[in-house]
């Protein structure tokens, strides 16, 4: 434990229990590793999803500013909460993505307390927060699957897990977790076999524990309704014309013009196209080879990142700065989107899947991480062009809580554009989120990969009653430089996910399939071969 500093003032609060915040993620992850030494720890992405999907239901306890307790819950319908299930299935693989704001039960799926903290009743305080939340929301009760960590130790003295539970309830055997839950007013419902295979101490068993809200009397389960609220966000997508520029400053003036206009319209976001910085090659004395061009562009990275960040703060707008080739610390070139927020924070999202042309002509390597970015308008995701054609990435972002996915793209043909467009629409439907596309138009002689461009930037929606009839909130004219702006209502997504005609996120069959991510990089993928692609040296986007 962190020792108290001698300079602390009298009256300063040492213990705090509150809703978990994104800034608590490292402390929560460290706590979970300490508590569950024999089980896989949460990734930061999973904790981020738990908080983003239902912040009201996630609580932390801090002692002297150190996270010493954490619990996570979600609302579920009674039929789902009480049917046979395992931990992975009910939690959406740990992201808490099956939270249903119309559900009538509070389902607890994580509770951990630092074993070094004694005498402060951290666990009891967290349970009280859960109970207060259930009462505040007028829920029928709380249900969770509790561990039985002494079962393996006593398994030879009992006739199966049911007998073990009976003996613990009768006081003939001691189980610290079950005894604590019983003492806090929870009643055992039944044994759940195979609930958490990683829990060796419980031999994968758990006990369904139930607390019924004494202030609610119901003979039949009820389904709560989600109010149709308003959570407006204004989004601008810039369809940028490739143009000859005299120097870096002229390029930045072109970018600044559209940022200024979007800001005048009080937009919250503006997104630029993929590889929009290729215009910086137009004032080179000679046409550079693809390798030389990438090297030259990468030299602008620090200056570009700094200038766009300053622009975001000055114009009070979040800027998704297309993408820009960047040399990484290991020497590889990656295609990177820089997300500059209006509070001064700068984030980077690398392109995960370079196209065959990018790999062959430019030797661009793919990144290995995709995660949501927290903004003042909620969590967002960014996918660069070709990445939007791999549904696993968008699903990961949706699980972490993203409600808007921005897709900067660069395509030379209508076929390439339509691959991105159709996949963007599919991602909006299957993840019940907004998808914003932004592409380049025009041509730029003597710059490789900018010979011709095709784009029709757009703002796409799920296809359901609260949204535009054809799933298009707004779209630009084809191949014309313009700024397209639309208001979107994030609250409509919450309604659609809970009460829509279809509920793609909630209706997934977690008992049949799931996506496993290599979070620690211990099993890096094999290098992709640089096979020569068919056709000219175009980006081949989409």
């Amino acid at each position: 434990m962190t020792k108290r500093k001698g300079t602390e003032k009298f009256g300063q609060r040492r213990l705090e229990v509150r809703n978990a915040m994104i800034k608590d993620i490292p402390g929560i992850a460290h706590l979970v590793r300490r508590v569950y030494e024999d089980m896989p720890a949460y990734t930061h992405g999973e904790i981020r999803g738990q908080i983003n999907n239902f912040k009201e239901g996630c609580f932390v306890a801090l002692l002297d500013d150190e996270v010493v307790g954490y619990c996570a819950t979600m609302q579920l319908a009674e039929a789902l909460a009480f049917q046979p299930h395992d931990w992975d299935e009910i939690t959406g693989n740990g992201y808490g993505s099956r939270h249903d704001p119309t559900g009538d039960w509070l389902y607890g799926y994580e509770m951990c307390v630092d074993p070094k903290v004694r005498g402060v009743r951290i666990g009891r305080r967290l349970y009280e927060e859960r109970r207060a939340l259930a009462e505040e929301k007028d829920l029928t009760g709380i249900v969770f699957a509790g561990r039985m960590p002494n079962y393996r130790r006593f398994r030879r003295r009992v006739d199966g897990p049911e007998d073990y539970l009976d003996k613990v309830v009768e006081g003939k055997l001691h189980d610290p977790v079950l005894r604590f839950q019983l003492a806090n007013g929870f009643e055992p419902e039944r044994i759940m076999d195979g609930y958490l295979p990683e829990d060796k101490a419980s031999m994968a068993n758990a006990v369904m524990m139930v607390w019924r809200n004494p202030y609610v009397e119901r003979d039949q389960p009820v389904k709560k309704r989600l109010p149709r609220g308003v959570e407006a966000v204004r989004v601008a997508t810039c369809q940028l014309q490739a143009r000859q520029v005299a120097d870096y400053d002229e390029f930045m003036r072109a970018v600044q013009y559209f940022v200024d206009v979007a800001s005048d319209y009080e937009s919250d976001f503006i997104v630029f196209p993929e590889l929009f910085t290729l215009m910086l090659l137009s004032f080179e004395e000679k046409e550079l080879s693809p390798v030389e061009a990438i090297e030259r562009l990468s030299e602008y990275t620090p200056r570009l990142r700094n200038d766009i960040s300053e622009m975001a703060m000055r114009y009070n707008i979040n800027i998704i700065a297309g993408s820009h080739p960047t040399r990484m610390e290991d020497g590889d070139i990656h295609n990177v989107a820089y997300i500059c927020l209006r509070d001064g924070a700068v984030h980077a999202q690398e392109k995960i899947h370079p196209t065959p042309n990018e790999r062959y002509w430019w030797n661009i390597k793919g990144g290995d991480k995709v995660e949501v970015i927290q903004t003042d308008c909620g969590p967002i995701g960014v996918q660069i062009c070709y990445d939007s054609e791999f549904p696993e990435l968008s699903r990961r972002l949706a699980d972490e809580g993203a409600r808007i996915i921005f897709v900067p793209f660069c395509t030379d043909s209508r076929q390439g554009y339509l691959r991105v467009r159709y996949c963007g629409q599919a991602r909006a439907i299957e993840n019940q989120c907004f998808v914003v596309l932004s592409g380049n138009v025009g041509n730029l002689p003597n710059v490789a990969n900018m010979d011709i461009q095709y784009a029709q930037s757009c703002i796409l929606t799920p296809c359901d009653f609260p949204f535009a009839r054809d799933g298009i909130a707004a779209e630009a004219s084809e191949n014309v430089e313009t700024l397209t702006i639309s208001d979107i209502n994030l609250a409509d997504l919450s309604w659609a996910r809970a009460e829509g005609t279809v509920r793609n996120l909630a209706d997934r069959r977690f008992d049949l399939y799931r996506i496993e991510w290599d979070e620690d990089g211990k099993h890096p993928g094999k290098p992709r071969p640089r096979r020569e692609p068919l056709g000219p040296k175009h980006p081949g986007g989409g």
Side-chain angles (χ1 to χ4, degrees):
M1 288 296 301
T2 303
K3 295 182 179 179
R4 298 189 67 189
K5 298 179 180 179
T7 57
E8 287 181 323
K9 298 179 181 179
F10 289 106
Q12 181 173 333
R13 181 170 56 180
R14 294 187 59 198
L15 178 63
E16 180 183 13
V17 180
R18 57 165 170 76
N19 284 115
M21 295 185 284
I22 296 299
K23 68 178 183 179
D24 299 320
I25 290 176
I28 294 170
H30 185 55
L31 168 68
V32 173
R33 284 194 297 271
R34 294 198 308 270
V35 174
Y36 301 120
E37 296 179 352
D38 57 343
M39 289 194 291
Y42 285 127
T43 66
H44 283 207
E46 289 169 337
I47 302 172
R48 187 180 299 111
Q50 293 169 11
I51 297 172
N52 281 333
N53 285 313
F54 188 37
K55 184 177 180 179
E56 291 176 273
C58 296
F59 301 94
V60 290
L62 297 98
L63 183 61
D64 296 332
D65 297 323
E66 181 179 0
V67 177
V68 294
Y70 173 65
C71 76
T73 63
M74 56 187 170
Q75 285 176 242
L76 292 179
E78 180 172 309
L80 179 59
F82 284 83
Q83 74 177 15
H85 59 264
D86 60 28
W87 187 88
D88 282 338
E89 177 186 351
I90 203 70
T91 65
N93 290 338
Y95 291 95
S97 57
R98 303 195 77 176
H99 167 65
D100 177 2
T102 68
D104 198 40
W105 282 82
L106 195 64
Y107 187 98
Y109 60 93
E110 182 54 75
M111 169 71 76
C112 60
V113 176
D114 194 324
K116 297 180 182 179
V117 179
R118 304 294 183 193
V120 193
R121 298 190 175 185
I122 300 297
R124 184 176 292 274
R125 292 171 189 261
L126 292 173
Y127 271 57
E128 289 172 356
E129 293 292 337
R130 279 183 174 175
R131 189 175 287 111
L133 179 63
E135 293 175 357
E136 176 187 340
K137 287 183 167 292
D138 197 34
L139 301 180
T140 303
I142 303 172
V143 58
F144 61 83
R147 299 180 64 222
M148 37 199 299
N150 276 359
Y151 176 59
R152 182 172 61 180
R153 175 184 173 189
F154 294 122
R155 68 185 184 280
R156 300 186 185 281
R157 296 171 52 182
V158 297
D159 186 21
E162 289 84 359
D163 186 40
Y164 174 79
L165 173 61
D166 291 341
K167 285 183 167 54
V168 171
V169 172
E170 295 167 2
K172 297 178 180 179
L173 291 176
H174 176 69
D175 188 291
V177 173
L178 290 178
R179 290 305 306 171
F180 175 77
Q181 294 160 354
L182 292 167
N184 276 275
F186 286 84
E187 299 177 355
E189 185 84 3
R190 68 173 187 271
I191 294 291
M192 303 180 70
D193 179 47
Y195 182 76
L196 188 61
E198 296 86 353
D199 186 1
K200 305 302 181 184
S202 303
M203 300 185 71
N205 295 291
V207 181
M208 178 174 282
M209 306 293 288
V210 177
W211 173 82
R212 288 177 169 80
N213 187 349
Y215 303 106
V216 173
E217 293 185 7
R218 294 189 178 115
D219 296 328
Q220 298 293 330
V222 300
K223 186 174 181 64
K224 293 180 170 292
R225 299 304 304 270
L226 186 66
R228 290 281 297 278
V230 177
E231 193 177 346
V233 174
R234 183 163 292 176
V235 176
T237 174
C238 179
Q239 189 160 280
L240 191 64
Q241 171 82 41
R243 54 170 54 84
Q244 182 91 24
V245 293
D247 52 28
Y248 172 86
D249 291 334
E250 184 177 346
F251 167 75
M252 288 305 297
R253 284 195 294 272
V255 173
Q256 183 177 354
Y257 170 80
F258 286 105
V259 171
D260 188 7
V261 173
S263 177
D264 283 346
Y265 278 88
E266 298 184 347
S267 300
D268 296 293
F269 294 94
I270 181 172
V271 55
F272 287 92
E274 178 188 22
L275 298 174
F276 75 131
T277 56
L278 283 176
M279 280 188 274
L280 294 171
L281 299 175
S282 65
F283 57 84
E284 293 293 325
E285 294 181 358
K286 63 175 183 177
E287 182 175 351
L288 304 179
S289 70
V291 173
E292 291 172 330
I294 287 297
E295 290 288 349
R296 186 73 182 95
L297 282 173
S298 189
E299 295 173 8
Y300 290 103
T301 300
R303 186 179 179 186
L304 177 79
R305 195 167 45 208
N306 180 72
D307 289 351
I308 293 186
S309 178
E310 291 292 329
M311 202 180 296
M313 290 189 292
R314 186 165 66 252
Y315 288 96
N316 189 33
I317 189 171
N318 300 305
I319 302 174
I320 290 83
S323 77
H324 176 71
T326 299
R327 183 169 292 283
M328 313 305 287
E329 293 182 358
D330 61 3
D332 289 340
I333 295 289
H334 288 203
N335 190 358
V336 184
Y338 292 103
I339 299 90
C340 301
L341 304 183
R342 50 187 166 195
D343 63 3
V346 178
H347 301 266
Q349 176 60 64
E350 301 169 20
K351 191 172 187 177
I352 306 301
H353 302 91
T355 63
N357 274 289
E358 286 178 293
R359 291 199 306 270
Y360 183 81
W361 294 111
W362 289 352
N363 198 26
I364 287 180
K365 301 293 196 304
D368 56 10
K369 179 185 290 188
V370 58
E371 58 186 15
V372 302
I373 297 164
Q374 303 295 143
T375 76
D376 58 341
C377 298
I380 66 168
V382 175
Q383 294 189 321
I384 303 174
C385 197
Y386 195 30
D387 283 345
S388 66
E389 299 177 29
F390 297 84
E392 301 87 353
L393 302 184
S394 295
R395 182 52 52 84
R396 164 67 174 263
L397 293 171
D399 279 341
E400 289 192 14
R403 295 183 290 179
I404 310 174
I405 297 177
F406 294 94
V407 182
F409 70 91
C410 179
T411 53
D412 60 330
S413 66
R414 180 172 172 81
Q415 294 95 322
Y417 161 72
L418 288 176
R419 287 194 294 269
V420 178
R421 170 69 175 254
Y422 292 153
C423 288
Q425 188 73 72
R427 303 296 86 86
I429 292 171
E430 67 198 16
N431 295 299
Q432 297 180 288
C433 67
F434 296 104
V435 176
V436 184
L437 274 61
S438 177
N440 301 290
V441 298
N443 52 63
L444 196 59
N446 300 320
V447 175
N449 286 328
M450 293 295 280
D451 299 325
I452 57 174
Q453 306 296 314
Y454 188 101
Q456 187 177 20
S457 303
C458 54
I459 300 167
L460 305 173
T461 77
C463 293
D464 210 338
F465 289 112
F467 310 101
R469 183 185 65 177
D470 52 5
I472 305 169
E475 63 182 342
S477 298
E478 300 170 75
N479 294 333
V480 175
E481 183 173 65
T482 186
L483 193 68
T484 304
I485 302 174
S486 178
D487 285 336
I488 56 178
N489 183 12
L490 300 182
D492 285 341
L493 297 178
S494 300
W495 181 89
R497 291 176 176 186
E499 300 190 62
T501 307
V502 294
R503 280 156 268 182
N504 305 71
L505 289 176
D507 290 340
R508 285 177 285 172
R509 289 290 302 274
F510 288 98
D511 56 326
L512 294 181
Y513 58 86
R514 67 191 61 176
I515 300 173
E516 297 291 342
W517 288 82
D518 180 18
E519 302 286 354
D520 54 17
K522 292 180 179 178
H523 306 288
K526 297 179 180 179
R528 300 298 304 275
R530 293 180 62 200
R531 298 189 181 93
E532 182 171 359
L534 300 175
K537 302 176 185 178
H538 292 152

